[in-house]
Amino acid sequence: MSIISESKDFLDQTGQISRFAGRFFSHGLKPKFEVKELLVQCYLIGYKSFPLVGLTGFIMGLVLTMQLRPSLVSYGVQSELPVMVGIAIVREIGPVITALIFAGKIGSSIGAELGSMKVTEQIDSMDVSGTNPFKYLVATRVIATSLMLPILTILGDAISLFGAYIGVNIKSVTNIRFFFVQVFESLSYSDVLPAVIKTIFFGFAVGLVGCYKGFNSTKGTQGVGRSANSAVVLSSVLIFILDLLTVQLTNLLGLN
Amino acid sequence: MDMDKEITAVQPTQHHQPISEPVIVIENLYKKFGDNVILENFSLSVKREENVVVLGKSGAGKSVLIKCIIGLLKPDKGKILVFGEDITMMDEDELATARTKIGFLFQANALYDSMTVRENLEFPLRRHWTSLGEAEVDKMVKEALENVGLTHTSDMMPTELSGGMLKRIALARTLILKPEIILYDEPTTGLDPITAREIDQLILTLQKKYKTSSIIISHDMNCVRNIADRVVLLLEGMCYAQGTYETLEASSDPKINQFFK
């Protein structure tokens, strides 16, 4: 494929996703809301993802601490290890890694689920049954991902910091209270709030892209597989782009 | 093209007599995808309690036709009057109300595979008739399952059922809102001949019980013979010919005859 046709495809897809997002705001947020389905999705998307997010967060905190220690020791500032790990986890690594794990688990599952519903005409069947499939399937999932990812990130950060505490204690002995006091004293609201707020946008991107890919899945098992795969790839790329934009924005607003 | 042939001399003999009042009137329907014209000036009228089978080659536009009738696809031109109201001009809410009178049996059944059989049947009920109490919902689900002889499957998942059973459950779900019109998209495709005959019989029995009008898309000539009060031949996007099964079977026109060989 030539660069021109690839660029055309990219622009075409960007336009379609933007229209899909516009439809979410114009139709998906209008009453009557599918409250029961939203709660089900919050449970499936949030609660069911917690073990994975917790495990990866714990390992991330532990490994980050173990990797940072030698560099800090060489400069003689190993006492600053909790501060450095705390800021890195809360401001950047926690939100981004949690969002990427979330995109892998939830983005693919939404893409595959809606994709297979699309190819087996279940979405048409819902329409015929007097249910707006966009509200029932898309709006509930996008709202659930936007709400659940910030909560998962906060929990993931906490577990990650505990992992960092274990990491610090491998080569030295530090009191847990002293460790967390040192971490929290180094953090301000301008570290925590932008980091949590940006995960709302990450969650929105994961939900929207997953639903878009599923809703526009082509026929056959290959089409469903492609929807699931491209949902993960595209939402992961979007997470990095959104992260870049939020860093620029927080810099402009003087929140750094 | 002078293809709009009307071969309607013989009244159906093996089937019931439809009431003359039309429930669906399609006028000059036109639908294309890209440059590919699927339906071109297609017109059709379906009377109350009449079973009309639409016959045509694969890709002729049969499924597009019934998807236009239910409002899943929007035609480019033409009118589709259902009980006198034009489906093509309706907004989302009006369409949802109109759809309570129209049932649609999907070719692949389209049962929700994350729900049990019971939840599948309850889904349209709870959406359309929100005032129904638990006891009434229970009664209607039980009646729908009794109609198709599958009361024991209530708590099973669709993945646990055979092809014939899935078709029966899909039919039960279609009928649960007691629609006055049912659109069948290839109801016997993929079923063995015995199960296909059972489904044909079930469609006829339920049609008599609930006095529904139907448009049936089918390639299965046994199904066409068993069910049709009238057969409509969709060729090159138009209603090429229509009449009883026997009339069309006796036609010497090779374009008609090829379907009955």
Side-chain angles (χ1 to χ4, degrees), chain B residues 228-246:
Chain B
D229 291 322
R230 182 158 51 108
V231 180
V232 168
L233 197 57
L234 175 58
L235 269 183
E236 292 160 22
M238 303 171 97
C239 177
Y240 183 76
Q242 55 179 312
T244 61
Y245 181 90
E246 294 77 13

Side-chain angles (χ1 to χ4, degrees), chain A residues 34 121 125 127 129 131-132, chain B residues 67 92 99 127-128 173:
Chain A
E34 300 285 352
E121 296 180 309
S125 165
D127 217 344
S129 298
T131 301
N132 183 335
Chain B
K67 284 186 177 174
E92 241 172 55
R99 281 172 178 161
R127 297 270 138 190
H128 279 294
R173 186 179 65 177

Side-chain angles (χ1 to χ4, degrees), chain A residues 1-2 4 10 35 41 58 67 81 87 103 109 125 144 150 178 180 208 224 229 233 237 243 247 252:
Chain A
M1 219 195 292
S2 71
I4 295 173
F10 173 76
V35 179
Q41 289 306 321
F58 178 79
Q67 295 278 31
L81 190 55
I87 289 177
S109 115
S125 165
F178 178 72
F180 278 100
L208 192 81
V224 176
N229 180 261
V233 174
V237 172
D243 192 38
V247 168
L252 277 175

Side-chain angles (χ1 to χ4, degrees), chain B residues 7 12 92 170 197:
Chain B
I7 310 176
E92 241 172 55
R197 209 159 42 236

Side-chain angles (χ1 to χ4, degrees), chain A residues 50-95:
Chain A
F50 177 64
L52 181 65
V53 167
L55 178 70
T56 49
F58 178 79
I59 295 170
M60 186 176 68
L62 184 67
V63 171
L64 185 68
T65 313
M66 288 161 71
Q67 295 278 31
L68 272 174
R69 174 186 279 277
S71 306
L72 296 185
V73 167
S74 69
Y75 288 104
V77 286
Q78 64 267 40
S79 60
E80 293 301 309
L81 190 55
V83 174
M84 206 162 167
V85 170
I87 289 177
I89 286 173
V90 171
R91 285 184 70 135
E92 188 57 32
I93 298 173

Side-chain angles (χ1 to χ4, degrees), chain A residues 202-219:
Chain A
F202 294 170
F204 179 79
V206 171
L208 192 81
V209 170
C211 289
Y212 168 78
K213 289 290 178 184
F215 240 62
N216 292 285
S217 184
T218 47
K219 291 262 180 192

